[in-house]
């Protein structure tokens, strides 16, 4: 069995995410999973590795939307769904660390109580 090399556990995160780049129209996507270090998105258009995206996230039931920056670190074409799955690493700031940390902690607590 291959050892998981991820530093942080991933959790299902199927919330809408708006994303964009400087001088690029904001697009919508649905996230696949989230961890303290980043998240994955399915997007319609190709986004090159190394791109910096601005993301709008709503974490859980909170009405608050947070803005975070993330760097594209992985791109995989999903032919069966005619889209791309991109892996994003958060460019952490204080608000991002606090909000995502609280959300991930809640996910861990919920997982342990099931």
């Amino acid at each position: 069995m291959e050892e998981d090399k991820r530093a942080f556990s991933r959790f299902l995160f199927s919330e809408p995410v708006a994303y964009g780049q400087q001088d690029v129209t904001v697009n919508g996507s649905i996230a696949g999973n989230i961890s303290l270090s980043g998240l994955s998105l399915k997007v319609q258009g190709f986004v090159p590795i190394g791109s910096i995206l601005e993301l709008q996230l709503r974490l859980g039931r909170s009405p608050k939307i947070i803005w975070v920056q993330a760097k594209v670190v992985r791109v995989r074409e999903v032919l069966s769904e005619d889209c791309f799955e991109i892996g994003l690493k958060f460019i952490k700031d204080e608000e991002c660390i606090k909000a995502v940390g609280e959300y991930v902690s809640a996910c861990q607590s919920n997982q342990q109580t099931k």
Side-chain angles (χ1 to χ4, degrees):
M1 182 176 199
E2 189 175 312
E3 186 178 325
D4 189 4
K5 297 178 183 177
R6 297 188 185 277
F8 300 103
S9 298
R10 292 186 288 174
F11 298 94
L12 181 63
F13 183 69
S14 56
E15 299 293 326
V17 175
Y19 69 95
Q21 293 173 285
Q22 288 184 344
D23 304 325
V24 176
T25 306
V26 172
N27 298 296
S29 177
I30 297 290
N33 61 56
I34 191 169
S35 75
L36 194 55
S37 62
L39 64 99
S40 70
L41 293 178
K42 287 189 178 172
V43 298
Q44 294 302 309
F46 176 76
V47 182
I49 289 178
S51 298
I52 304 295
L53 301 181
E54 297 277 342
L55 308 174
Q56 291 179 349
L57 303 176
R58 179 173 285 136
L59 300 171
R61 297 181 180 184
S62 170
K64 183 179 178 186
I65 294 175
I66 64 165
W67 284 85
V68 299
Q69 287 190 324
K71 182 177 184 178
V72 177
V73 294
R74 180 180 48 82
V75 178
R76 180 177 69 94
E77 189 170 10
V78 183
L79 295 173
S80 62
E81 297 178 32
D82 195 27
C83 68
F84 295 89
E85 182 180 72
I86 59 175
L88 295 150
K89 182 175 181 174
F90 293 132
I91 298 172
K92 296 177 183 175
D93 61 27
E94 195 171 310
E95 183 181 15
C96 172
I97 291 169
K98 182 177 184 220
V100 174
E102 288 173 359
Y103 179 80
V104 167
S105 291
C107 289
Q108 287 173 324
S109 294
N110 289 342
Q111 202 173 52
Q112 291 171 356
T113 60
K114 289 184 180 183

